[in-house]
Amino acid sequence: MFQGASALNLDAKGRMSIPAKHRDALNVQCEGRVTLTRHPDGCLLLFPRPTWESHREQIAAWPMAARAYQRILLGNACDVEMDGNGRILVAPELRNAVGMQRDVMVLGMGSHFEIWDASKLAENEAKAIADGMPDALSNFSF
């Protein structure tokens, strides 16, 4: 299970270091082979390759009514490998598609990660808090 937030920077070439706390797990789970793709919410998703392959099969089987979402998820998927320093290259097309600048946040979401432009994530979280808790969470308590 991947969890937690990490503030990172993209370098001049668009490379991002995988947070040290997750690097070993990714090396064991998938030998550093991961897949990046777009998410409709405006972030990138990073999956260990075996996890992505199972999602990819499910997405490919969606009906034609979901074709636009297939394009977003499958059409933008990019297989990458961690280098010897634990970095991955985030393709310029993916960075541009989600407005990713230098400062990024990596969020562990269980089986995968979300990668956000830091300022965009802050805006989305502030809006979510201002909108209040959704009805689906009305019975949730800490």
Side-chain angles (χ1 to χ4, degrees), residues 6 17 29 37 39 46 67 78 82 86 88 94 113 133 135:
S6 300
S17 290
Q29 188 175 354
T37 193
H39 188 285
L46 184 147
R67 191 56 138 188
C78 180
M82 282 194 295
I88 59 167
L94 289 174
F113 300 90
M133 192 168 297
D135 292 339

Side-chain angles (χ1 to χ4, degrees), residues 72-85:
I72 292 169
L73 293 163
L74 293 179
N76 287 285
C78 180
D79 293 336
V80 296
E81 293 189 25
M82 282 194 295
D83 67 15
N85 295 317

Side-chain angles (χ1 to χ4, degrees), residues 9-16 36 88-92 95 100:
N9 295 316
L10 293 175
D11 70 12
K13 295 180 181 179
R15 294 175 300 193
M16 177 190 88
L36 286 168
I88 59 167
L89 176 64
V90 181
R95 293 192 315 262
M100 191 171 288

Side-chain angles (χ1 to χ4, degrees), residues 53-108:
E53 288 170 354
S54 120
H55 285 292
R56 180 181 62 204
E57 289 178 22
Q58 292 173 7
I59 296 165
W62 289 350
M64 283 299 289
R67 191 56 138 188
Y69 281 86
Q70 283 178 318
R71 285 186 192 104
I72 292 169
L73 293 163
L74 293 179
N76 287 285
C78 180
D79 293 336
V80 296
E81 293 189 25
M82 282 194 295
D83 67 15
N85 295 317
R87 297 174 303 194
I88 59 167
L89 176 64
V90 181
E93 295 85 1
L94 289 174
R95 293 192 315 262
N96 292 336
V98 298
M100 191 171 288
Q101 301 296 318
R102 178 177 157 76
D103 298 324
V104 298
M105 290 294 295
V106 176
L107 306 175

Side-chain angles (χ1 to χ4, degrees), residues 2 4-6 8 16 36-37 39 41-47 100 104-117 121 124-125:
F2 302 112
S6 300
L8 302 170
M16 177 190 88
L36 286 168
T37 193
H39 188 285
D41 285 348
C43 66
L44 298 179
L45 299 173
L46 184 147
F47 290 91
M100 191 171 288
V104 298
M105 290 294 295
V106 176
L107 306 175
M109 301 297 291
S111 65
H112 65 281
F113 300 90
E114 290 183 354
I115 306 171
W116 287 86
D117 177 78
L121 175 62
N124 285 6
E125 287 179 346

